[in-house]
């Protein structure tokens, strides 16, 4: 969670750049009851700064599960400590793909991010299935 004030200009820039989509789970901020937040990709306690290139748009759930973490354990491979997906430095499609409502990891980075952010938790899959049925998932990046 941020302790530094984020200016309205930076907030607008980050939301616009993300086209209103959570940069982790591809949910649209228009489809969520709880407001999206600006996530410090590298948390301030690790020295991350409050600048556009260290911020991403995140839904409440992705941000809550991520917290200030930078990495997690790749239990499916060699139990290595692997950094989380970084939306500013990496491309979503290279680390994940959608199979219906499931977010399937393609890499170690994808695996630890799906695991830590609980991207395929039962209730999140249920919500995505509903949004798919309504034709509003995945969020359309412009
Ligand atoms: Zn999300």
């Amino acid at each position: 969670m941020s302790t530094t004030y984020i200016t309205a200009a930076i907030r607008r820039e980050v939301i616009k750049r993300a086209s209103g989509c959570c940069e982790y789970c591809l949910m649209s901020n228009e489809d969520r009851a709880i407001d999206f937040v600006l996530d410090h990709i590298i948390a301030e306690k690790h020295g991350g700064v409050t600048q556009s290139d260290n911020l991403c748009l995140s839904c409440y759930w992705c941000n809550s599960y991520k917290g200030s973490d930078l990495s997690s354990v790749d239990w499916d491979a060699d139990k290595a400590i692997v950094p989380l997906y970084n939306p500013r430095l990496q491309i979503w499609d290279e680390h994940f793909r959608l199979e219906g409502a499931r977010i399937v990891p393609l890499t170690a980075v994808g695996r630890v991010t799906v695991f830590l952010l609980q991207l395929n938790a039962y209730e999140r899959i249920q919500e995505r299935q509903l949004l798919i049925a309504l034709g509003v998932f995945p969020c359309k990046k412009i």
Side-chain angles (χ1 to χ4, degrees):
M1 288 294 160
S2 170
T3 53
T4 302
Y5 177 72
I6 300 175
T7 66
I10 289 179
R11 186 172 297 275
R12 273 196 303 273
E13 178 189 341
V14 172
I15 293 169
K16 186 174 176 209
R17 178 177 60 200
S19 302
C21 304
C22 173
E23 297 189 65
Y24 297 108
C25 76
L26 310 184
M27 189 77 65
S28 169
N29 64 353
E30 293 175 8
D31 302 319
R32 293 304 279 267
I34 304 172
D35 275 348
F36 276 31
V37 295
L38 268 59
D39 174 57
H40 282 78
I41 297 166
I42 298 174
E44 291 181 292
K45 77 178 193 186
H46 298 292
V49 292
T50 302
Q51 291 176 355
S52 175
D53 62 2
N54 186 44
L55 294 168
C56 74
L57 189 63
S58 173
C59 72
Y60 171 80
W61 292 113
C62 285
N63 182 254
S64 297
Y65 286 119
K66 177 176 173 284
S68 62
D69 291 346
L70 305 177
S71 60
S72 190
V73 178
D74 187 4
W75 296 103
D76 291 345
D78 51 6
K79 301 188 178 99
I81 295 174
V82 176
L84 297 172
Y85 169 68
N86 182 326
R88 294 285 72 77
L89 302 178
Q90 295 167 313
I91 297 168
W92 198 92
D93 292 344
E94 293 180 358
H95 295 280
F96 314 92
R97 77 161 184 272
L98 283 172
E99 270 183 23
R102 290 187 69 79
I103 296 175
V104 177
L106 303 175
T107 62
V109 165
R111 279 194 299 275
V112 298
T113 304
V114 166
F115 172 71
L116 189 74
L117 275 58
Q118 296 289 302
L119 292 179
N120 292 320
Y122 176 76
E123 60 276 10
R124 302 187 77 182
I125 297 272
Q126 295 289 103
E127 184 175 23
R128 270 182 228 133
Q129 284 172 337
L130 177 64
L131 294 173
I132 288 169
L134 295 171
V136 294
F137 181 85
C139 186
K140 300 284 185 286
K141 290 220 173 198
I142 299 160

